[in-house]
Amino acid sequence: MLYAILSEDLAGSLPRRREARAAHLERLKALQEAGRLVLAGPHPAIDAQDPGPAGFTGSLVVAEFATREAAIAWAAEDPYAAAGVYAKVTVKPFRQVLP
């Protein structure tokens, strides 16, 4: 089943986000290579592709996991979570309609 992993950044966490980015992307690429990643990306804090020092307010990952518990466990091991980027992470079942 698909799950949406909605993460909200802590205020001021941009430096920690930058430090953990390579490891975070590596895990996402592994999901992609396994054919399980639907989409992933950050939420810019301002209306811009590159928000610069304004940073990000969180991230969204939609991917396939065997269970919600597996999705929660995967999210808990995210390098951003370990680096203290996220204030809150929510995992919800997701039903893709389009495309």
Side-chain angles (χ1 to χ4, degrees), residues 7 37 51:
S7 305
L37 182 65

Side-chain angles (χ1 to χ4, degrees), residues 8-71:
E8 297 176 29
D9 286 14
L10 283 165
S13 64
L14 183 59
R16 291 188 300 268
R17 179 182 267 274
R18 287 180 176 150
E19 289 175 17
R21 186 171 189 265
H24 171 77
L25 291 177
E26 189 175 308
R27 290 183 82 234
L28 290 172
K29 287 177 185 174
L31 276 181
Q32 183 179 29
E33 290 169 3
R36 296 172 43 206
L37 182 65
V38 174
L39 64 89
H43 301 286
I46 59 173
D47 192 12
Q49 267 305 83
D50 180 358
F56 301 91
T57 61
S59 300
L60 169 64
V61 174
V62 177
E64 183 179 346
F65 293 93
T67 63
R68 182 171 178 269
E69 291 73 22

